[in-house]
Structure formats: structure tokens, C-alpha cells
Amino acid sequence: MLPDTIEPRIQIDRTRDKSHGDLASNIALTLAKVAKKSPRDIATAICAALPEADFVERTEIAGPGFINFFLSGSSSQAVIQRILEQGANFGTSDEGEGRKVQVEFVSANPTGPLHVGHGRGAAVGDSICRLLAATGWDVSSEFYYNDAGQQINNLALSVQARCKGLGPDDDSWPDDGYRGGYIQDIAAAYLSGDKVDSEDRHVLASGDPENLDDIREFAVAFLRREQDLDLKAFGVDFDVYFLESSLYESGQVEATVAKLVENGHAYEHEGALWLRSTDFGDDKDRVMRKTDGGYTYFLPDVAYHFNKWQRGFVRVIDEQGADHHSTVTRVRAGLQALHEGIPEGWPEYVLHQMVTVMRNGEEVKLSKRAGNYVTLRDLVDEVGRDATRYFLGARAANSQLNFDIDLALSKTNDNPVYYIQYAHARACSVMRKMADQALHWDQSFALAQLEQLTQESEKALLRRLDRYPEIVARAAASAEPHMMASYLRELAGDFHSNYNSHKILVDDEAVRAARAALSQAVKQVVANGLALLGVSAPESM
RNA sequence: GGGCCCAUAGCUCAGCUGGAUAGAGCACCCGCCUUCUAAGCGGGUGGCCGCAGGUUCGAGUCCUGCUGGGCCCGCCA
């Protein structure tokens, strides 16, 4: 029937519509042209030649020539046993084979409180870490910041001005000073000799308004602590805090320049040192060393990423705001110019677009503490950690995000966070009720009753549960945690729907056990999925 | 002017790597609590998937060109 020279690529996919069975193959359609037969004839021949299998109940030819496979009841019910046995590990895999991956995110400089954009980066970046860990990667999370540049100097000058009683509207206020109310807080703490502990530094204020170095050190520690507190309240922490200044102290910046010059990719022009980044796909060459002898930010960026490479990360993901997208080509070009065998697409970037915060249909722009932007703390304080994490993590990163405060605060089914958490709480509630009524619960007995799950809404739930490991794998591979949020919304929908149509605690012991087992499986998967998003799974609401 | 991202129901968004009649929530209309939490469920109204070409047996999905919106284009980070 077919020329024996061809080697067809056999493709079997999940179906989108349950009337098409569980799995479907388009093989007959792809072979139709070369076989010079109609797709339906080919499909018929293939079906006739298929061996019998326990897990396939029947096959069907449909539409233009799809072969649909209907799996047997027992094979689809088996997922419950896998879930209950594997528990919190259900859905994990060893895809990463223990390889080292680094995820860098937030990386805010210590010049002010974290804003909503940092929150989005934190939600997305942290979920990526959790997804990678769940798929067998050896994950290291990292926060990179500059504690020594001109911005930090401006910060110190601003705090000093506040120490001397000046305000942002005074004539002698520093030109590029920070005007937010938090500067006043730092000044007050500094003057009263406070001690500050952050994740990566500890400083006691001298209280001397004339000592700019002391002020600088204190202000950085103070703001680092603020950021740590905000991130902690958000459920996010880091394995490594990396200082830009360390790249200078260790000579890595100098070494990087020397390497680029040695490799012939640098040239002097008008008193500055340039990298010929156009050799590596950039649209123009970039200055590395300014005429004043200082380096542009881009050079430490290259040195920093080379440092990551030397630390042995086969995969690095940088999560940043999309306003930094121009660094992507630049950093990769610099790394290529080092001739160190770094792959062209290394590191990977996940760039998130802007966040707009909405209240009563209007954009919110101001914060009392920070001045001209909405802080992460404002949001977490108002709508809570779970809702904030969910909303900031539930959208594809490369789409702009509307954060609707009214929706996040809503405690109805409008709000997907509560909707999903409620599914978990309901499942817990059923088990509590079971105990209250002194009904017998025996997991192994229940697992032997699964053939009782014959309702359409139960089968839909089984199909949904079966997909979970695949969702974890794909979300991790593409670094797109929002896929998990969508999945959980759908799973919760299937659960609530089934819950309303079929009572779990019925008199029939076998049916009751089977339904309770299904409910327990849903509870487990909801908990696992929410954990990957950094959202809690409450036992009651 | 150049680069990156986006465009799907009135609104907010999914769409599983090219498959079969395009999905969900909100909003609007109609129903469901003496029964495991109504923070829930069922039904209905509502779409030239921005526009125009192209590739393919097949395109919301891939390619090209437009249009509209966001971000970025410094010897700032």
C-alpha cells in the first residue's frame, strides 16, 4: 500500500474533544499524499493491522482520517493510585538529570522599595525555580545587585540631605536625589544608631551625618533588609546574593576586558574602548570603557555572566523586565567574543512586560512610601500573598499585565485564586465530614473500587488529572509558569462541577470509597500545582 | 527612523509547540441551597482569532507585508 522507502513519523496526540477519544493520530493524513490513497482508506488499513492491547478499549476513524483511541476505564482510573502513592512527588520527573541550572531574578538595586514589576519577576522567577526543581534540575536562585555605582552614591547623598533636615523641594537637595518618603525613614534610623541585618549584610549605624561612607553602607543594608522582608512575605528567597562590586574586587572585569582586547574584538575610538559587538549580531558597537576610564554597565554584565559559566551552569535563565531587553544581544555578543565555547543562545531570557495596577477601573500609580510607583508591599498588604503571587504569575510573561485589585480582593468565583483554593478546601472538608460521620476510610479498599467511577464528570476529572505531569514538564521546559495557573483553574472547574452533580458521601460503600479517592487525588494535585506557584493550599476556607 | 513584545466574545485572559464545530471567567438573561462549604453548579446571549497575502491535506498557531498599542534605542543601570 505504501512505498517501503518512506519512514513515517508516527505522531499520537491527546485529543481536545472527548468525543474523539483519549488519543488520536494524524498519521493517515500525513501519508495520504505519498500513498496516493484517501486518508480514510489508510486509516482503515492501519486500524486493521493494530495489535490488541488491554489499555485500548476501541479505535475509531473519524473526520478526514484521524484514528481515535479510546482507552479502557481501568487504564484511566489508574492515575488515582499513582497520585495517592506518590503524593507530593506526583508530577515530578528526572528530566533535568541533576544538571545545574541558575535562575537570576528580581536583581533590584538597593535604591528603593521593590515595585510591582519586581513582584512579577519574583513570582515568575521563583515559580520557574520550583518547576525546574520538580523536573530534576539542580537549581540555584540568584539575586544580583550593584552596591557601589553612581546610583548608590545618589542614595547616600539623599539620605545625608535628609539627615541634615533637608527635603526634596529645598534648593540644596541633590540633583539626582531620591525623593521617596523611605529616604526619611533611612535617615531617622541612621541618626538613631540602628543596627540592620539583611540576608547578606549586617551594619550598625554610626549616626554621623558627615560620614558619607557610613551613610552609604547603612542605606544599602537598610534597603536590602526592606527588600528581603518584602520577598520573604512573598514567599521568595535566594540561594546566592551576588555583588557587582565583587567583579571589580576580584579583577574579573579587568580580565574580561583583557580577553576581549586579546581576541581582537575591541578597538579605541575617540578616547573610549569599544567592543565590536556588530560581529555578533548587535546593531551597533558598544562602549566598554568610557573616556573617563570607568566602565559602562555592560562590561560587568559580561564578566558576571562569564562568571556564571565558570560556575558550571549548563543552563542559565535571566528573568528581567522587558525594558532591559536591549542587554540580551549585548551580553550574548560579549560572551561570544570571549571565545570560551559558550553556546550562542546562552543565557536564556524570560522578559516580563509591564504591570498596570487597576482599582475601580482606574490606574493606580502612586505609593505613599516610594512616591511615584506602586510597591510590592502595598499589594501584598492589601490583597494578601496568595492572590498577589497568583495574579502576577498567572499571565504569560511576554504579555502586559493588568493587576485588578478589586478582582484580587474578591472572595467569589470571580477570583481564580479562591476558586482553586476552594477546590482543595472542599476536598479536605469531605474527608473531615467522613470522619465526623464515623464512615470507614481505607485507601487500599478505595483503590480496589475505582471501576465505580463511571460518570462523565468523573471521567473528565480523571483525564485532567492524568495530564498534570505533562503540564509540569512543559511549563518547566519553556519556563512558563502561567501554564500551571491555567491548568489549575481548569482542574478546579472540573472538580466543582463534579462535586455539584455527584455526591461523594453516598450510602453505597464502594461508590463512596471510589469517589473519595478521586477527591483525594484532586486535592493532592491541586496542592502540588499551587506549591509550584508558591500559593498556599488551605484545608478550610 | 530602528529593535523587542502584544493584538482571540463588550471586559480580563487561555488556547497544550500545525489538527476535527475557537474555550474560561466577568458582565447580561434564566434556573439550582431541609442533601458532603452557594467562596459552588447548570442553561442562554455574545467571535471575518487586528488587516492582506503566502506555506500546508489542514493555520488563532508558521512566513512576509501592513495597521494599532506598550517598552527600548546614553561613554545611565
Side-chain angles (χ1 to χ4, degrees), chain A residues 400-459:
Chain A
Q400 283 164 245
L401 170 58
N402 264 334
F403 193 109
D404 184 340
I405 289 183
D406 305 310
L407 180 59
L409 280 172
S410 147
K411 299 204 169 178
T412 68
N413 63 331
D414 308 8
N415 188 336
V417 189
Y418 288 95
Y419 186 83
I420 295 165
Q421 290 181 319
Y422 185 44
H424 185 269
R426 260 189 162 170
C428 292
S429 173
V430 169
M431 296 310 280
R432 281 195 300 270
K433 201 75 179 183
M434 215 169 170
D436 288 351
Q437 296 177 7
L439 291 170
H440 178 64
W441 164 249
D442 180 324
Q443 183 168 305
S444 48
F445 171 75
L447 290 174
Q449 314 304 321
L450 298 180
E451 72 272 14
Q452 302 293 330
L453 301 173
T454 55
Q455 303 292 337
E456 277 310 314
S457 58
E458 291 168 343
K459 292 181 185 170

Side-chain angles (χ1 to χ4, degrees), chain A residues 1-2 28-29 31-32 35-48 61 63-67:
Chain A
M1 185 165 183
L2 292 169
L29 286 94
L31 289 175
K36 299 193 173 80
K37 301 257 187 194
S38 84
R40 292 194 69 103
D41 288 347
I42 298 171
T44 306
I46 292 173
C47 284
I61 296 161
F66 291 101
I67 301 171

Side-chain angles (χ1 to χ4, degrees), chain A residues 213-233:
Chain A
D213 287 339
D214 280 2
I215 292 176
R216 182 187 297 108
E217 199 183 355
F218 182 80
V220 167
F222 188 97
L223 287 168
R224 282 289 316 119
R225 181 184 63 180
E226 292 277 295
Q227 294 178 352
D228 287 343
L229 289 172
D230 291 354
L231 289 166
K232 195 172 181 184

